Amino acid sequence: EGHKPGLAHGGFWLVFGVSHRLTLASLLQASIAERGKVLSFIGRSARLEFMKKAIANRLLVLLLAACLPGCDVQPDKPTEAEGSESEADTSTDDEISLVSSGVFPKGARMEQSRQVMMNHLGMTITQGADTAKGAANIIYREPREVEVMSSSVWKILIGDAKAETSTTLRGQDEKVSNKPALLSNVTVIRDGDRAQLEGVPTDEQKEALKSFEADWFGGNDLFPDKPVKLRDTWELKPDLLLSAVMGREFADCSGKATLSLKKIFTFDNEETAEIVVSMSHLKGTMREQDGRSTEVELDGFGSLYRSLKNLHTTRANLKGTVTLNTKGPERAVNFSGPFECRASSDVTLP
């Protein structure tokens, strides 16, 4: 009674709940007379004839379960999709260590990738009294394969590492370049905190090797040397985070880098910590062998994902804004706009 034509089955449950004020628990506790009213109500709903049998069967199951000793009707629980993330049962008072002993077993392998994408940058070139403006896209890619030879020696095979750049000045055609990195398609042997090239390196390659003396994506340097709890926050020296993101050595650094333990969850069947990263006016200078220098400034946020099984950073996703000021003997180039850094390191144990 009082139903509008075409009332959907969701509307039925709305009227049913409002008019009778019955939840599942109250239905089970209701008297026989009240249960009879419910069934009578269903019978009078002519426009819901297609639902009557299914609802009556469900109510019959509930009524029988309520009458039989030892039966406890529980609501259906959603099942977690296979391979999905899930929250770990970690109290805010539980302490965990994010610092690794740095020892992987002999034969362990890592497949690593770092991409720094700076698209839709504004570009200004200054040469003497002349200034030209335009736009640029810069993408740096660095794939690696790592093999653990012993407790202290790692063999790092660097793939086709390169900087892909496209620039367009007003009134001119687009220029595209793919410049190999100083260390591209080479093998680096790291022994403890020393890195050397197989073969004879150039002076520029010797400088680039310094970035391989540090652990992958900052390693332990990004984390406190004491256990932390959920929502604990700590600050980093600016050069540590700049080097982790850009994969280069920096000098004359300033700004603020803040990290915080956000949550513990299961990812790919491993307990993983998500660490939130905040970068505010993070500045540093990269120096080149040819006399040029590039000042980098980052502002942004993102997350690091650290496996608590291997105490190794497996994923990094950061984004924000970047400013690059490159100064040479003859001209200066300024880039500014959005940036994104994605890094991954998948570990296979022997």
Side-chain angles (χ1 to χ4, degrees):
E1 294 179 22
H3 292 184
K4 295 181 180 179
L7 186 65
H9 124 232
F12 163 74
W13 284 112
L14 178 62
V15 175
F16 178 82
V18 170
S19 60
H20 288 267
R21 299 291 195 274
L22 285 177
T23 63
L24 176 60
S26 60
L27 176 61
L28 295 177
Q29 297 172 0
S31 66
I32 295 177
E34 288 172 330
R35 293 171 186 170
K37 290 179 183 179
V38 172
L39 294 174
S40 175
F41 175 82
I42 295 173
R44 292 198 306 270
S45 300
R47 280 181 290 274
L48 296 168
E49 184 65 24
F50 68 98
M51 294 177 59
K52 182 174 68 173
K53 183 178 293 186
I55 295 171
N57 287 340
R58 178 61 176 163
L59 288 175
L60 180 60
V61 170
L62 293 173
L63 292 173
L64 288 173
C67 297
L68 292 174
C71 286
D72 185 16
V73 180
Q74 299 290 340
D76 294 335
K77 295 182 179 179
T79 57
E80 185 179 293
E82 185 177 355
S84 66
E85 300 176 1
S86 62
E87 294 283 349
D89 185 16
T90 303
S91 167
T92 55
D93 294 327
D94 291 342
E95 291 187 335
I96 61 170
S97 175
L98 297 173
V99 176
S100 166
S101 63
V103 177
F104 276 94
K106 180 180 178 180
R109 293 179 178 271
M110 284 158 261
E111 190 169 328
Q112 299 176 337
S113 173
R114 181 204 311 272
Q115 294 186 71
V116 180
M117 295 159 284
M118 296 173 280
N119 293 319
H120 310 295
L121 299 175
M123 178 177 66
T124 302
I125 300 176
T126 304
Q127 187 166 353
D130 298 327
T131 299
K133 292 184 177 294
N137 297 316
I138 304 172
I139 301 177
Y140 177 73
R141 307 180 193 274
E142 182 190 306
R144 303 181 186 180
E145 292 182 7
V146 181
E147 182 181 358
V148 178
M149 310 301 291
S150 70
S151 59
S152 63
V153 178
W154 290 19
K155 186 177 182 179
I156 306 171
L157 285 75
I158 305 173
D160 189 17
K162 59 185 177 182
E164 303 169 7
T165 305
S166 65
T167 58
T168 307
L169 290 173
R170 291 177 183 174
Q172 298 184 18
D173 294 334
E174 180 185 25
K175 294 182 179 180
V176 178
S177 69
N178 291 316
K179 183 180 179 181
L182 289 172
L183 297 176
S184 179
N185 296 307
V186 296
T187 300
V188 174
I189 303 298
R190 180 182 164 189
D191 188 352
D193 58 359
R194 293 180 298 125
Q196 60 185 16
L197 200 63
E198 282 191 344
V200 180
T202 65
D203 290 340
E204 290 181 332
Q205 287 177 326
K206 288 179 181 178
E207 188 69 22
L209 280 169
K210 291 182 179 180
S211 65
F212 287 82
E213 295 173 355
D215 289 331
W216 167 254
F217 218 90
N220 288 336
D221 291 341
L222 303 190
F223 308 107
D225 56 5
K226 61 182 180 180
V228 294
K229 298 182 292 186
L230 290 178
R231 294 192 290 276
D232 275 357
T233 298
W234 60 96
E235 292 189 10
L236 289 180
K237 293 180 179 179
D239 62 306
L240 295 177
L241 191 54
L242 279 169
S243 296
V245 174
M246 305 299 289
R248 295 285 303 275
E249 291 289 305
F250 284 85
D252 304 324
C253 297
S254 62
K256 187 175 182 179
T258 306
L259 278 68
S260 177
L261 178 58
K262 179 181 179 182
K263 68 177 180 179
I264 307 296
F265 67 107
T266 302
F267 177 72
D268 282 351
N269 298 318
E270 287 189 14
E271 196 173 31
T272 299
E274 180 181 358
I275 298 99
V276 176
V277 179
S278 173
M279 299 170 286
S280 179
H281 302 297
L282 216 56
K283 291 183 181 180
T285 301
M286 300 184 295
R287 289 188 171 85
E288 311 293 347
Q289 290 291 319
D290 59 3
R292 292 182 300 119
S293 65
T294 299
E295 184 183 83
V296 179
E297 180 175 354
L298 299 179
D299 284 275
F301 59 91
S303 292
L304 307 179
Y305 299 90
R306 193 157 174 87
S307 166
L308 297 183
K309 175 183 177 182
N310 298 314
L311 289 173
H312 180 73
T313 300
T314 60
R315 296 289 185 275
N317 296 305
L318 305 168
K319 61 177 60 178
T321 58
V322 61
T323 300
L324 305 173
N325 288 305
T326 300
K327 297 178 181 179
E330 298 180 356
R331 66 176 185 173
V333 184
N334 170 271
F335 301 95
S336 61
F339 91 93
E340 183 174 2
C341 174
R342 297 178 187 171
S344 63
S345 181
D346 295 318
V347 179
T348 302
L349 298 178

